[in-house]
Amino acid sequence: MAFNSEKKERRDPADLDLSDGTVTRLAQQKKDLDRVSVFIDEAFAFGLAIDLVIEAGLHKGQALSAEEQRALLVRQEVFAAKASALAGLANRARTTKEIHDSLSRKGFAEVIVEDTVADLERLGLVDDAAYARAFVRGRFSGRGYGPSRLRQDLMRKGVAREAIDQALDELTEAEDMGEAARDQAARKWRTLSSEDDLRKRKKKTMDYLVRRGFGFESARAAVDAVSAEDEEESWD
């Protein structure tokens, strides 16, 4: 799911000029069947999620003070923020920072953004530590990324250092980083078979491994290993 980077503006209920009145009509919206248009004293006042209308027990003839209307609109913002976050999570797992930034770009007030993220964490729907573990495992197995690259990517996603360290510790305990570096080096080495200059071929392979997140020593050992194997095969 792509997120628009341009921040949108939303109406802050605290800034609205509201007056006491009576609900004279509730009408399901044609363009969005999950929303209801609320009319106060025969004039359209605002739209609410149908679930919120039911939850609040809103009905025709009900008197609503300005403060009661404002409270409903705050609840609507909370409802909308959570619905937006859940829609993003339905597409893929996200970090708390990704959800926070997405809701902020959509114009939700900071207090609502923070409360929404906290609520999702409480429900176990957002867990940066679990995200980090799944991320490093998936990127290591699927793309062959090394620890440094994985750390940088998780930091950009706003994951706390402690969670990153724990995820990488578990990965390096379970996997042989030297073997992984050699596998990546062998793949790159084969693609550079047309390079006649051995030093250039080694440097290009080294640079490739470092970009993928393997440490200098691991990368150098891997390049030395694949180049030695290549030399042995050439003598056979």
Side-chain angles (χ1 to χ4, degrees):
M1 172 181 272
F3 291 101
N4 192 331
S5 61
E6 183 179 351
K7 184 171 182 177
K8 299 179 181 179
E9 295 297 327
R10 299 183 68 89
R11 297 187 307 170
D12 187 341
D15 297 333
L16 297 179
D17 184 16
L18 302 172
S19 301
D20 297 351
T22 301
V23 177
T24 52
R25 185 184 174 200
L26 297 171
Q28 190 174 28
Q29 296 182 359
K30 294 181 179 180
K31 292 185 177 180
D32 187 348
L33 299 180
D34 291 327
R35 285 177 64 85
V36 171
S37 294
V38 180
F39 291 78
I40 304 290
D41 296 335
E42 305 299 341
F44 171 79
F46 43 78
L48 296 176
I50 192 169
D51 288 347
L52 178 54
V53 171
I54 296 171
E55 181 183 300
L58 211 58
H59 59 273
K60 184 178 178 180
Q62 181 177 357
L64 288 177
S65 67
E67 285 308 307
E68 288 173 327
Q69 294 174 48
R70 188 168 287 109
L72 281 171
L73 290 171
V74 170
R75 289 172 66 182
Q76 172 60 36
E77 283 293 278
V78 172
F79 186 94
K82 189 171 182 178
S84 177
L86 289 174
L89 289 169
N91 184 53
R92 67 168 177 83
R94 299 181 189 278
T95 66
T96 54
K97 182 179 185 300
E98 287 177 318
I99 294 173
H100 182 285
D101 291 350
S102 172
L103 294 178
S104 294
R105 286 194 297 270
K106 292 177 180 178
F108 290 101
E110 181 64 19
V111 64
I112 289 177
V113 172
E114 292 180 355
D115 286 349
T116 300
V117 172
D119 192 36
L120 293 174
E121 287 183 297
R122 179 181 61 79
L123 293 171
L125 297 175
V126 181
D127 184 336
D128 280 2
Y131 180 97
R133 290 193 296 271
F135 183 90
V136 300
R137 172 59 60 186
R139 294 299 176 93
F140 174 78
S141 301
R143 302 188 186 183
Y145 287 166
S148 296
R149 172 66 180 271
L150 295 170
R151 180 180 295 279
Q152 291 171 6
D153 288 349
L154 284 171
M155 288 179 67
R156 280 195 292 269
K157 290 177 175 291
V159 178
R161 185 179 300 276
E162 182 179 350
I164 297 174
D165 289 344
Q166 181 63 35
L168 291 176
D169 285 346
E170 291 179 11
L171 179 70
T172 53
E173 287 174 4
E175 301 289 346
D176 185 336
M177 291 297 117
E179 181 180 353
R182 288 191 294 275
D183 288 343
Q184 292 298 317
R187 293 190 182 97
K188 186 63 176 178
W189 188 262
R190 288 193 292 271
T191 68
L192 297 171
S193 59
S194 61
E195 177 59 73
D196 295 328
D197 189 320
L198 182 61
R199 288 190 305 171
K200 289 183 178 180
R201 192 176 182 184
K202 283 187 173 183
K203 184 178 185 307
K204 289 179 180 178
T205 305
M206 274 281 295
D207 291 345
Y208 173 79
L209 291 176
V210 172
R211 285 196 303 272
R212 295 189 76 78
F214 291 97
F216 179 81
E217 292 300 328
S218 295
R220 183 172 64 179
V223 171
D224 288 343
V226 297
S227 63
E229 290 173 4
D230 190 42
E231 185 176 354
E232 289 177 2
E233 290 176 1
S234 67
W235 283 96
D236 291 342

